[in-house]
Amino acid sequence: MKKEPFVTLEQLKEIDKTYPTPYHLYDEKGIRENAKRVKEAFAWNKGFREYFAVKATPNPFLINILREYGCGCDCSSMTELQMADALGFGGDEIMFSSNATPAEEYQFARQINATINLDDFTHIEFLEKCAGIPEKISCRYNPGGVFKMSNGIMDNPGDSKYGFTHEQIIEGFKILKEKGVKTFGLHAFLASNTVTNEYYPLLAKVLFELAVELKEKTGVAVKFINLSGGVGIDYRPEQEKNDIMVIGEGVRKVYEEVLMPAGMGDVALYTEMGRFMMGPYGCLVTKAIHQKHIYKEYIGCDACAANLMRPAIYGAYHHITVMGKDNSVCDHKYDVTGSLCENSDKFAIDRMLPKVDVGDFLVIHDTGAHGYSMGYNYNGKLRSAELLLKEDGTVQMIRRAETDRDYFATFDFCDILKDIKWRE
């Protein structure tokens, strides 16, 4: 199988006249088509809403595109809450899922009437003291143990820092009910980046059965269930894509098997996908600027791990296309590197590619989620621009590149740096 870039070499050459590499580029057409499919996949559930995980791609231009398809925002910090509020999202459109949460963040979430998704049993008392208990609340469940799927994919919720235990969530619901909560929700995240259509249905079964148990043991009728994220993307060309229509149908089947017989056919379903919503519709565009021939063959790029850190910290695979050489034989083995003073600053190790020449455009695929958002300033590297390839083929800058003035702006003793020669 082959991964095709959503941008052509001719388009990149045109973009290069205005915007230098490196930059993150997003595909408006792909984002819109995918958001429409997600909405259709769960249209059978009247209360369905996708709460886009803002942490994945915190760009207002992209979030506003998703909003056109009914998406809300899943926020995990004060600044994400502030962004959602500033964009005009109302309380019901904002889910606040955080952990080790500072008091001021709970207070602001209450102020804008966001739905709070409590991560810990002890936070019931903490929230009551710092901000008060709202009438609507969600609780995050962690069943512990190991979560397995038939294709061998597994994760270990028991080793995760998130959520209530089984005993805690039953007790927590009783306490919250006594404190005046009228609308309850459930949430869980049990596996990350799953490339299988069975993850959501399996997770749904866990949460649906818990909802029925909670109704029996606490008298609480859960009104919404948040399947969170975890639906992955095919980073590798040989992987088969998730089919959101099949996933939605699988969840519907479990809904009818578990919730309907319990008289809970009005439960709204939520998702909070980031990677699936945006990942394949972004890429990091960089140029080969050096070749190095020592014990291995290296291609040095003008992008580095500060632009995309997943390969450096996770060993994550991101496919690379050498633009203009898509049909050439991949008969050269390279490490594709950046310029950070870290040997882990490699986008690919021993990757078979066509012969790469200095000046070639390299497209690093699937950086639309957890790409730009995980960037940093190590070695004084400046954050790159974000560009949107619009449906009509034009390009819009949706975040400018950082400048050296940005980097130094947070120093309180800028007079010490008064002789810096700023780049124009």
Side-chain angles (χ1 to χ4, degrees):
M1 296 176 69
K2 186 177 179 182
K3 272 189 175 285
E4 297 286 351
F6 57 77
V7 64
T8 66
L9 177 59
E10 289 68 30
Q11 287 175 311
L12 291 180
K13 288 179 178 178
E14 189 63 30
I15 294 171
D16 200 50
K17 296 175 182 177
T18 306
Y19 304 107
T21 54
Y23 51 80
H24 284 271
L25 181 67
Y26 303 94
D27 175 21
E28 181 182 10
K29 183 173 184 288
I31 292 168
R32 289 185 179 278
E33 290 176 349
N34 187 57
K36 183 180 178 183
R37 283 195 299 270
V38 170
K39 187 175 181 180
E40 291 173 352
F42 290 93
W44 55 267
N45 183 263
K46 290 183 180 179
F48 174 75
R49 174 172 279 148
E50 156 64 18
Y51 287 86
F52 174 65
V54 174
K55 61 181 173 286
T57 321
N59 189 295
F61 290 87
L62 303 178
I63 292 170
N64 270 336
I65 291 174
L66 296 179
R67 188 178 189 180
E68 294 179 34
Y69 299 88
C71 296
C73 291
D74 170 58
C75 302
S76 57
S77 69
M78 176 69 88
T79 48
E80 290 179 4
L81 285 171
Q82 289 173 317
M83 180 184 293
D85 182 53
L87 287 173
F89 285 88
D92 284 344
E93 297 174 311
I94 303 172
M95 183 74 61
F96 181 46
S97 301
S98 62
N99 67 97
T101 309
E104 58 268 24
E105 296 191 6
Y106 275 142
Q107 290 161 359
F108 186 68
R110 292 281 282 119
Q111 179 184 326
I112 64 174
N113 201 31
T115 300
I116 292 173
N117 183 28
L118 279 180
D119 178 67
D120 182 55
F121 180 80
T122 66
H123 282 216
I124 297 173
E125 181 180 358
F126 183 82
L127 176 63
E128 183 175 34
K129 288 182 177 178
C130 74
I133 301 291
E135 290 191 352
K136 180 171 71 172
I137 203 161
S138 177
C139 292
R140 183 168 184 167
Y141 177 54
N142 183 336
V146 175
F147 183 77
K148 296 181 180 179
M149 284 159 275
S150 62
N151 61 358
I153 294 176
M154 60 185 291
D155 219 317
N156 186 3
D159 197 37
S160 166
K161 69 176 182 175
Y162 305 108
F164 290 57
T165 67
H166 185 266
E167 294 76 14
Q168 286 175 341
I169 206 159
I170 292 172
E171 182 64 20
F173 267 46
K174 291 177 180 177
I175 293 170
L176 288 165
K177 182 181 178 183
E178 291 173 0
K179 292 182 180 296
V181 174
K182 292 181 172 58
T183 305
F184 285 81
L186 279 176
H187 170 285
F189 180 93
L190 302 186
S192 180
N193 191 34
T194 60
V195 188
T196 168
N197 293 328
E198 70 173 335
Y199 170 61
Y200 257 6
L202 286 173
L203 170 62
K205 190 172 189 294
V206 171
L207 287 174
F208 295 171
E209 289 177 345
L210 177 61
V212 173
E213 181 183 3
L214 285 165
K215 183 179 180 182
E216 294 170 351
K217 293 183 177 179
T218 70
V220 169
V222 171
K223 292 301 182 185
F224 61 91
I225 293 177
N226 188 337
L227 300 177
S228 68
V231 178
I233 61 175
D234 52 322
Y235 284 103
R236 296 178 179 271
E238 66 271 17
Q239 289 179 298
E240 187 173 346
K241 296 176 184 289
N242 280 330
D243 187 331
I244 197 63
M245 302 305 291
V246 172
I247 291 171
E249 181 61 20
V251 174
R252 183 194 63 78
K253 183 179 178 182
V254 180
Y255 190 98
E256 292 178 353
E257 290 174 352
V258 179
L259 291 181
M260 297 286 277
M264 301 176 68
D266 61 345
V267 174
L269 294 185
Y270 301 155
T271 57
E272 50 180 49
M273 296 180 285
R275 196 188 314 265
F276 186 81
M277 298 301 294
M278 203 69 72
Y281 313 108
C283 63
L284 176 60
V285 181
T286 181
K287 278 183 184 174
I289 58 173
H290 289 289
Q291 294 179 334
K292 186 169 185 175
H293 318 285
I294 49 172
Y295 307 106
K296 301 180 76 173
E297 294 294 304
Y298 293 92
I299 297 298
C301 300
D302 56 7
C304 64
N307 304 105
L308 177 66
M309 71 188 298
R310 295 185 74 253
I313 64 170
Y314 301 142
Y317 180 95
H318 281 265
H319 198 65
I320 297 174
T321 295
V322 184
M323 297 300 287
K325 300 179 180 179
D326 310 41
N327 297 316
S328 300
V329 178
C330 295
D331 55 358
H332 286 64
K333 184 187 289 186
Y334 296 111
D335 281 13
V336 181
T337 80
S339 60
L340 292 186
C341 296
E342 293 288 340
N343 195 46
S344 63
D345 180 21
K346 298 177 180 179
F347 296 116
I349 297 173
D350 294 333
R351 184 72 59 86
M352 298 304 297
L353 295 171
K355 182 178 182 298
V356 179
D357 297 302
V358 170
D360 280 346
F361 285 95
L362 305 184
V363 164
I364 303 177
H365 292 252
D366 302 315
T367 70
H370 310 290
Y372 182 96
S373 67
M374 294 178 72
Y376 54 101
N377 290 120
Y378 182 58
N379 278 180
K381 293 294 183 179
L382 303 176
R383 307 285 291 280
S384 57
E386 290 183 294
L387 309 179
L388 180 64
L389 179 61
K390 303 188 78 171
E391 289 185 291
D392 63 5
T394 61
V395 172
Q396 178 184 2
M397 181 172 67
I398 56 176
R399 191 194 304 260
R400 67 168 175 80
E402 283 183 340
T403 67
D404 42 9
R405 290 180 185 270
D406 295 321
Y407 181 81
F408 292 111
T410 53
F411 289 103
D412 289 332
F413 46 94
C414 282
D415 58 314
I416 297 175
L417 305 173
K418 62 182 182 299
D419 293 327
I420 286 180
K421 301 297 187 291
W422 303 112
R423 285 179 283 182
E424 298 301 329

